[in-house]
Amino acid sequence: MAYESLSKVMNRSGGYDPTTHCIAGGLAGGFAAGLTTPLDVIKTLLQTRGTSIDPEIRNARGLWQAASIIKRRGGWLGFFRGLKPRIVTTMPSTAICWSAYEVAKAYFISQSDEA
């Protein structure tokens, strides 16, 4: 949804434009990574609880309990720990992904137009 909206704003003609697809893909990926970071922080706490020496984390049982621990210890900002690295590492991969998709789409459209 974000990718499609950004692509339409950046490339009003709707034609194949690799720069637009790459930038829109990276921005959309960064937006999605930022939006889902709180859930990723909760998931990380749950996945690493087995190696924790903290009994409260070690005994966390599910999403709500993990969220409660994060909120109590880090406040609302605790849900956004690691936000910058997550965005920085996600943007290049989504830019590449969307660019590859658009290249393939343009190729197949050109092949069907020739037939």
Side-chain angles (χ1 to χ4, degrees):
M1 189 163 171
Y3 171 75
E4 202 60 37
S5 298
L6 287 166
S7 289
K8 285 180 182 175
V9 168
M10 294 173 69
N11 182 10
R12 297 202 186 276
S13 71
Y16 175 69
D17 179 16
T19 305
T20 297
H21 300 310
C22 187
I23 292 170
L27 290 173
F31 176 74
L35 195 65
T36 58
T37 294
L39 291 172
D40 194 56
V41 171
I42 293 169
K43 174 195 66 122
T44 301
L45 184 139
L46 291 170
Q47 286 179 329
T48 59
R49 67 185 168 197
T51 60
S52 178
I53 57 171
D54 183 325
E56 185 181 24
I57 292 174
R58 194 166 183 82
N59 295 314
R61 299 282 177 243
L63 181 122
W64 299 114
Q65 195 173 6
S68 173
I69 293 168
I70 293 165
K71 170 77 168 63
R72 192 170 353 90
R73 293 183 179 191
W76 291 109
L77 288 177
F79 289 100
F80 292 93
R81 286 179 55 201
L83 175 69
K84 289 176 189 173
R86 188 159 190 255
I87 289 173
V88 168
T89 58
T90 301
M91 286 179 77
S93 63
T94 54
I96 292 167
C97 229
W98 279 109
S99 296
Y101 166 77
E102 292 293 346
V103 165
K105 185 171 106 177
Y107 171 78
F108 288 118
I109 288 172
S110 73
Q111 291 300 307
S112 69
D113 289 345
E114 291 176 12

